[in-house]
Structure formats: C-alpha cells, structure tokens
Amino acid sequence: MIIKRVRLKNFISHADTTIEFPLGVTVLIGPNGAGKTSVIDGIIFALFGIKVRGEKVTDVIRRGANSAEVEVVFEVDGREYTLRRERKSRTTEAILLKDGVPIARGQEVSAEIPRLLRMDKETIVNSIFVRQGEVASLVDAEPSQRKQLMGRLIGLDRLERAWGNMREVVSHFEDKVKEYDVVKKELELKQERKAEISREIEEIEKKLGEIRKELEVAEKELDEAEKEREIWRKKRDVYYDISEKLSGLRERKRSLERDVERLEKDL
C-alpha cells in the first residue's frame, strides 16, 4: 500500500487540508497542536472508521462543523484507490473507488479494506502506526519494558494469548500426528503388499496370455480333429453297411452251396 494523498475536511483541527505524499520519506514538522498526529488519525479513521481520540467518534468533527470528512488516495498492486469516509452527528458514510469506479459502500468498505491490504485491522494498526509517545518510550525503556512495548506494537501479546488458547488444539493435533504416523506405516506396508500383489497379477496375466495362446492352438487342432472324426465316422458307417451286406451275401452263398450239394446228389 502506497499512500499518495490525504485530504482532511473539518477533521479535528483541520478545516480543509490536503497533503501530498511523494515517493520516498515524508516528514511532518510543526509545533504542538499543529495537527501532525491528526493526519495519521485521519488515515486510520478513513481506513477503519474507528475512534482515534476523545470519548466519542463524533469528537473527530471540528468544533463548529456538522461533519468531518477524510479522503485517502493510495495505490495497491499498481491500481489507484480512493477511500472517502464522512462522519456526521449520527451516521458514518464511506465509499471506496478503484480507478475512479465505486467498488464498495458503507459497511462493505470495512470488509474490503482488510482483503485489499491483505491484513486485518489489528495487524495494520499495531504494525504500521506507532502511537504518539511510544517511540520515546521505546528508546528510553529498560530491555524488559522495551520487549513489552514492542510486543504491544506488533501484537505479540495477543499472539501469546492466542498460542495459549491454541495449546490444547495443538496437543490434540500432535496426538493426531502420532496416530497418522501409525496409519502411515500401515499404509506403507499395505502399499508394499499391493505392489507384490500387482507383480503377482502381472505374472498370472502373462501366464494367462500364454495359456490363452495354447488354448487357441488346441481349439484349432480340436476343430481339425472334429473334421477328421466326422470323416472317419462316415467311413465307419460305410464299413458297417458293407459288413451287413457282406454277411447277407455270405449267408446267401451258404444257402446256394447247400442247394448245389442237394442238386448234385439228386443228379
């Protein structure tokens, strides 16, 4: 995120102030009460619509005015965005434009800014903006105090609390990891067994292919044998038929021979 311009209208001590932020380092210089901190407060107010000072959000409205307005022009990923937020006595209005085209209004702006900047409100406030007085405290503090202050600035205290709350969850998942290791080992054994079975299946399929070829050859031989059997069956039928005829002829021959013997005797 690169801030290019900020305009403050009736915001705290600013009646109508526009500040350009060229690339590089920008330093705001002025006496106490000149409105230097209000510029940072205005950026935070525009981004999140939160109270930056005073008891109420309406305290940001300059005395004597009916509303306060902050406009921030910034760049993200090479695209220019204009964020405009206005605080009235009872309501707050906001609009976000991308390259001059509105993309979010009202509450949608509060949801779109963290998504656009890829950070939530707390992270932005604690890691980018250092509040007035905390820099001097950081320099002059003892190491332990400096550690606590740095923790507050970047949100380490909340991270530590979050880690404490997450400890039980982490322990639960650590146990799950151990169970996972056992399951992983069983899975590896089953995968090894699967590989062995796959090799056995390949060998069986190879043998099956060889047997299938032998079966095809045997089926061809069987077909030829069936044809030859049919030929021999027909020859057998002819043989039986001739044998029957031969038996009849032999019987007839013997009958004729008896008749000849009888006739010879009679002769």
Side-chain angles (χ1 to χ4, degrees), residues 8-14 38 41-42 45 52 60 62 68 70:
L8 307 171
K9 186 176 181 181
N10 293 323
F11 184 83
I12 306 179
S13 61
H14 294 269
S38 299
D41 293 340
F45 172 76
V52 289
V60 300
R62 189 168 180 265
V70 179

Side-chain angles (χ1 to χ4, degrees), residues 65-129:
N66 296 322
S67 64
E69 181 181 330
V70 179
E71 181 181 273
V72 179
V73 179
F74 59 94
E75 182 180 315
V76 175
D77 297 332
R79 309 298 294 270
E80 184 176 279
Y81 295 84
T82 300
L83 171 60
R84 190 178 303 119
R85 192 182 295 272
E86 182 180 7
R87 175 66 199 188
K88 298 182 180 180
S89 59
R90 295 183 179 274
T91 60
T92 300
E93 297 179 359
I95 183 172
L96 177 64
L97 299 92
K98 178 180 179 181
D99 296 330
V101 180
I103 60 173
R105 295 179 183 273
Q107 295 297 326
E108 296 176 353
V109 175
S110 299
E112 183 66 18
I113 289 298
R115 188 198 66 78
L116 185 63
L117 303 183
R118 303 182 183 90
M119 290 186 289
D120 59 21
K121 178 177 65 177
E122 294 298 326
T123 302
I124 294 174
V125 171
N126 286 284
S127 63
I128 296 178
F129 298 103

Side-chain angles (χ1 to χ4, degrees), residues 7-25:
R7 181 187 180 190
L8 307 171
K9 186 176 181 181
N10 293 323
F11 184 83
I12 306 179
S13 61
H14 294 269
D16 193 349
T17 303
T18 299
I19 302 175
E20 300 286 343
F21 291 88
L23 290 177
V25 178

